Amino acid sequence: KDRSRQKPPLPLSLIKTNKHTHTMLSSSAAGRLTAGIRTSRALSRSLPSRSSAPRSSRLLRAPQTTSTASLVTPLLLRNQIPSLFYSTERILQLRTKKDAKSGAVLPKTIYDPSMEKENCGVGMVASLKSVASRKVVDDANEMLVRMSHRGGVGCCPASGDGAGMLFGMPDAFMRTKAKEALGVDLPPRGEYAVGNVFFPPENPDVLRDCKAIIERLTKQRGMTVLGWRPVPVDNSMLGQDPLDSEPDTEQIFIANTGAKKLSLRDFERELFRVRKMAEEEAAAMLGPESGFYINSLTSQTITYKGQLTPEQVSEYYLDIKDPSFITHLALVHSRFSTNTFPSWERAQPIRMMCHNGEINTLRGNKNWMFSRGGLMASDYFGNDTHQLLPATSDNMSDSGNFDSVLELMAKASERSLPEAVMMMIPEAWQDNHNLSDTKKAFYEYNSCLMEPWDGPAMVAFTDGRYIGATLDRNGLRPSRYYVTKDDNVILSSEIGVIPELQDKDVKIKHRLEPGKMFLVDFETQRIVPDDEIKEQVASRHPYGEWVKESMIDLERWTQEKAISPAPFDFSSTNRKLNSFGFTGERLEMLLLPMGIGGKEALGSMGNDAALAVLSEKPRQVNEYFKQLFAQVTNPPIDPIREEIVMSLVCPVGPEGNLLSDPNKEHCKRLNVRHPVLTLKEMETLKSKVYVDRDGKKAFSSHVIDCTFPAGSGPDGMIQALERICDEAADAIQGSIGSSGAQAVILSDRLTGPDRMALPSLIAVGAVHQHLLRTKQRPKAA
């Protein structure tokens, strides 16, 4: 590109809004600049480069000049709004909430690591016949570079949000490098593993300690560490932001040559255990944002990624440019971090997948997975299952948490990778009349084990045996795939990523449809159709029989018991309405239209009342809460026209062990068809015990009073919250010799002149969070 012919820099007011002026500011950087969260430093000095030699012998290259035109805008912005240009040190302070030098706790900022989300470009290249070639690598790199516009950069175009490539293990290349660097001959393919590891830069002591952790854990699991190889890189093209946090990258070679040779699946499991334990131990020693991160550690794949632009990946990692680096599969990813901080470890692909979109149910998914830690037990890992937990973390993005749970299910249980993906991203099944009964039963059964990871999502995944992609049930992220006549598969977020591909060479081209899965099985060397793989997975167990036999339907149970609720005392209506804070306006404008017309009342002028948190008048607790919307613009769902992807049906009650083999005990839950219960349904829950076909108690409840003395003030309210939390935990736990309750009902029926009711949101939230922290939440509704 002839930089001398670039347009002059725009005024600041235009730079903020002109998202398409890539030489000035990308769309992601514009969002960050407007939000005032972060932006990159200006690239105002020449950068040293790394050679392929070890760090101790690396020499600085001659200073490289940087075009003045590429610096004008960052320098202009830095002079006018210097407070927005955070250094990497400042970004780490915001993440860890501690001063880098003193370790002192910093004041709270608006940055929240739990809100890390992204919206990106995803691609996949593979040979159906598992033939390794240089063409797969070159096509993957071409695809990644042509999706640069789907990634983000900072004010400096050389500072990317993140990009990377995951490859099938390049066996011939690794054998050559192991011989050159370590003087060893690698075992047969599948009997050795190679891991790319990030270490904190310029810190020999930490490097030595982290290596010692991995080596010790590897030897404890009966495997052999063959040695370490520094990964050759060239950082001459990096911007200041990624350069400041650039890690030392080394490869570890591990052989399955212990006294007791492991099977391939068990070898993968032990490598998984070593990685999880090493990360946990290093985080305890150095902190969660230390810079230590294991990109991949497996015998099947290897990941090269970083805080790079798509163009920089193959230039930075010299391994990828080596002509002998050949493989049969590749995943690529160009990251657009949505109002979040880019970093080396958050780049994708991750260990088993890469993701375009965001997980909008992330908070609930993470809470439930943490709470399930008290129930999860792997048949393989046994009492050591805790070494793999927690599966989720606030220090990972939504994609990172998804990948972590996917890996746990694929390696700590007997499920295949396609089955784990089907559980986490189910297709629309409740009202889908085109779905077979077998698949419906599978999805209904697994809804008792795990809630969907919902959101606009296109996920590409691989474990070496399979490579594939799936689209969420709403289909809000594009994906197209091609199958060529020479048995290559190409899938990406858009078309045109391989420009030299001619129509005459294409055998099949199609789009990935909502809820569908595209899957390549390298063992059978073919594309497995969506219906075939899902029917195969769904027919492994009699899920339909288990659901019919064990699931408790609340509506049917209520009809069988035919309980009549106590007559309503209308003489106390006004007193109760006053007690619970209802106003005449709310009754007339909201409740009355809902009761008569069955729909929410509409207003034309909006709500100009002060926000509850800023109001000087007393407000209801629920008025302090607002609905959380996605950070990326997604179209609203139409509950009428998109009925097929929406359902209010929800199983509640005790969950089973997520990692155990499927059995009918997992679906012994209460199926609730609507979140608002009728008086008859509530009376049935409160007064009856459900007995299964074997005559055993299957479902019972415990009622907890949620009122406190009216004159006790704030202290009385706090004591009441502590009381109901303890009582709920005790009810679920049960006494010696008897099982606990399967449901806890929080009741404010005793509200009167002498007793105040706890606000229901506070009461339910307190009990929910208490049970989450004690890992008892999955035991009851």
Side-chain angles (χ1 to χ4, degrees), residues 74-112:
L75 290 174
L76 170 67
L77 293 178
R78 185 167 187 172
N79 291 333
Q80 297 195 30
I81 43 174
S83 62
L84 296 184
F85 284 79
Y86 292 160
S87 64
T88 301
E89 180 180 344
R90 175 60 176 152
I91 291 173
L92 290 176
Q93 288 179 355
L94 291 173
R95 282 186 182 152
T96 60
K97 297 181 176 61
K98 292 183 179 180
D99 184 86
K101 297 180 180 178
S102 65
V105 177
L106 296 173
K108 188 175 181 180
T109 67
I110 62 172
Y111 171 71
D112 185 356

Side-chain angles (χ1 to χ4, degrees), residues 251-474:
Q251 286 176 345
I252 183 173
F253 290 77
I254 298 176
N256 180 13
T257 55
K260 184 179 179 182
K261 199 170 185 180
L262 301 168
S263 66
L264 176 60
R265 184 163 178 78
D266 290 349
F267 184 37
E268 290 294 314
R269 284 169 162 167
E270 292 300 339
L271 292 169
F272 174 48
R273 187 207 302 255
V274 167
R275 180 178 64 75
K276 294 287 288 187
M277 294 179 68
E279 289 178 337
E280 187 72 19
E281 190 170 337
M285 178 177 68
L286 304 173
E289 297 286 347
S290 64
F292 173 77
Y293 178 82
I294 302 177
N295 290 287
S296 57
L297 185 59
T298 170
S299 65
Q300 302 299 306
T301 61
I302 189 164
T303 301
Y304 291 83
K305 68 176 185 177
Q307 191 178 336
L308 309 166
T309 66
E311 297 88 350
Q312 292 172 349
V313 176
S314 61
E315 297 296 322
Y316 180 80
Y317 288 109
L318 302 183
D319 283 358
I320 301 177
K321 298 176 68 175
D322 193 311
S324 65
F325 191 99
I326 60 174
T327 185
H328 68 290
L329 72 87
L331 292 181
V332 303
H333 188 272
S334 174
R335 185 176 189 236
F336 185 111
S337 56
T338 311
N339 290 339
T340 56
F341 292 124
S343 66
W344 286 80
E345 66 275 8
R346 285 187 175 89
Q348 297 187 43
I350 314 180
R351 279 96 186 200
M352 299 187 78
M353 54 77 73
C354 52
H355 168 220
N356 173 26
E358 59 177 312
I359 305 299
N360 291 333
T361 58
L362 183 63
R363 172 51 56 192
N365 295 131
K366 292 197 297 186
N367 281 343
W368 280 107
M369 284 305 302
F370 174 81
S371 187
R372 290 187 184 109
L375 298 176
M376 285 192 289
S378 166
D379 291 341
Y380 178 82
F381 294 99
N383 294 331
D384 292 333
T385 303
H386 66 90
Q387 296 172 343
L388 314 177
L389 304 175
T392 58
S393 169
D394 285 342
N395 295 312
M396 295 188 289
S397 67
D398 55 345
S399 304
N401 281 287
F402 184 100
D403 177 84
S404 181
V405 174
L406 179 64
E407 187 177 25
L408 177 71
M409 294 175 60
K411 293 184 178 179
S413 74
E414 297 302 324
R415 295 179 178 88
S416 65
L417 180 59
E419 182 177 355
V421 172
M422 287 171 63
M423 289 179 61
M424 295 183 70
I425 309 180
E427 59 185 312
W429 59 271
Q430 280 101 333
D431 298 312
N432 189 346
H433 303 297
N434 297 320
L435 213 60
S436 68
D437 292 339
T438 305
K439 286 196 282 187
K440 280 187 177 180
F442 169 84
Y443 287 123
E444 185 172 9
Y445 172 86
N446 282 288
S447 69
C448 297
L449 285 174
M450 172 181 279
E451 66 291 334
W453 288 63
D454 260 346
M458 193 282 275
V459 172
F461 54 86
T462 185
D463 61 356
R465 156 76 188 274
Y466 299 102
I467 189 170
T470 191
L471 196 60
D472 71 284
R473 53 186 167 180
N474 293 301

Side-chain angles (χ1 to χ4, degrees), residues 585 589-590 601-610 626:
E585 182 184 50
M589 299 185 65
L590 294 179
L602 299 177
S604 61
M605 299 304 291
N607 182 4
D608 60 354
K626 298 292 182 183

Side-chain angles (χ1 to χ4, degrees), residues 393-593:
S393 169
D394 285 342
N395 295 312
M396 295 188 289
S397 67
D398 55 345
S399 304
N401 281 287
F402 184 100
D403 177 84
S404 181
V405 174
L406 179 64
E407 187 177 25
L408 177 71
M409 294 175 60
K411 293 184 178 179
S413 74
E414 297 302 324
R415 295 179 178 88
S416 65
L417 180 59
E419 182 177 355
V421 172
M422 287 171 63
M423 289 179 61
M424 295 183 70
I425 309 180
E427 59 185 312
W429 59 271
Q430 280 101 333
D431 298 312
N432 189 346
H433 303 297
N434 297 320
L435 213 60
S436 68
D437 292 339
T438 305
K439 286 196 282 187
K440 280 187 177 180
F442 169 84
Y443 287 123
E444 185 172 9
Y445 172 86
N446 282 288
S447 69
C448 297
L449 285 174
M450 172 181 279
E451 66 291 334
W453 288 63
D454 260 346
M458 193 282 275
V459 172
F461 54 86
T462 185
D463 61 356
R465 156 76 188 274
Y466 299 102
I467 189 170
T470 191
L471 196 60
D472 71 284
R473 53 186 167 180
N474 293 301
L476 297 179
R477 290 294 177 267
S479 181
R480 296 190 68 86
Y481 64 86
Y482 295 80
V483 181
T484 64
K485 294 179 180 178
D486 58 354
D487 292 324
N488 283 330
V489 175
I490 299 167
L491 180 146
S492 71
S493 297
E494 54 190 71
I495 60 174
V497 291
I498 308 293
E500 62 270 18
L501 183 63
Q502 303 296 320
D503 278 347
K504 62 182 179 63
D505 299 324
V506 175
K507 181 165 55 178
I508 301 172
K509 58 181 176 181
H510 196 51
R511 68 183 178 92
L512 192 56
E513 299 176 356
K516 301 301 182 182
M517 181 182 294
F518 175 81
L519 188 72
V520 174
D521 185 344
F522 289 114
E523 284 194 2
T524 59
Q525 297 186 349
R526 69 188 185 97
I527 298 173
V528 185
D530 175 83
D531 282 341
E532 180 180 336
I533 184 61
K534 289 181 178 177
E535 286 289 349
Q536 179 183 343
V537 169
S539 59
R540 288 177 184 165
H541 300 283
Y543 294 112
E545 295 179 14
W546 290 347
V547 169
K548 186 176 181 180
E549 179 181 343
S550 302
M551 185 82 80
I552 306 168
D553 187 81
L554 178 58
E555 186 175 308
R556 193 180 309 119
W557 182 20
T558 302
Q559 292 173 353
E560 291 174 358
K561 298 303 178 183
I563 295 178
S564 298
F568 195 82
D569 182 11
F570 287 97
S571 64
S572 61
T573 299
N574 286 340
R575 187 169 65 248
K576 289 183 177 180
L577 289 173
N578 283 328
S579 177
F580 287 97
F582 283 91
T583 63
E585 182 184 50
R586 180 170 294 185
L587 288 174
E588 294 176 5
M589 299 185 65
L590 294 179
L591 294 183
L592 193 60

Side-chain angles (χ1 to χ4, degrees), residues 589-717:
M589 299 185 65
L590 294 179
L591 294 183
L592 193 60
M594 290 175 68
I596 295 177
K599 59 184 179 181
E600 189 173 358
L602 299 177
S604 61
M605 299 304 291
N607 182 4
D608 60 354
L611 294 175
V613 70
L614 301 176
S615 177
E616 297 178 355
K617 298 181 180 297
R619 303 289 287 271
Q620 292 289 310
V621 173
N622 62 283
E623 294 181 26
Y624 286 84
F625 295 85
K626 298 292 182 183
Q627 182 177 355
L628 286 177
F629 288 94
Q631 290 188 3
V632 181
T633 53
N634 297 314
I637 292 179
D638 186 331
I640 298 176
R641 294 174 180 83
E642 299 183 80
E643 180 183 19
I644 192 173
V645 298
M646 299 187 67
S647 174
L648 297 175
V649 179
C650 181
V652 300
E655 293 186 10
N657 175 14
L658 180 63
L659 302 181
S660 68
D661 290 336
N663 59 75
K664 68 178 182 179
E665 298 297 320
H666 286 160
C667 53
K668 283 189 174 181
R669 305 188 71 191
L670 184 70
N671 198 39
V672 180
R673 301 188 184 184
H674 198 281
V676 179
L677 304 184
T678 65
L679 292 177
K680 289 184 178 181
E681 290 172 341
M682 181 58 74
E683 287 299 322
T684 302
L685 285 174
K686 290 168 61 177
S687 59
K688 295 296 180 180
V689 174
Y690 187 89
V691 179
D692 62 17
R693 296 180 179 181
D694 298 329
K696 298 179 181 179
K697 184 185 76 169
F699 203 93
S700 65
S701 64
H702 177 81
V703 181
I704 299 176
D705 174 36
C706 289
T707 64
F708 63 99
S712 59
D715 291 339
M717 179 178 175

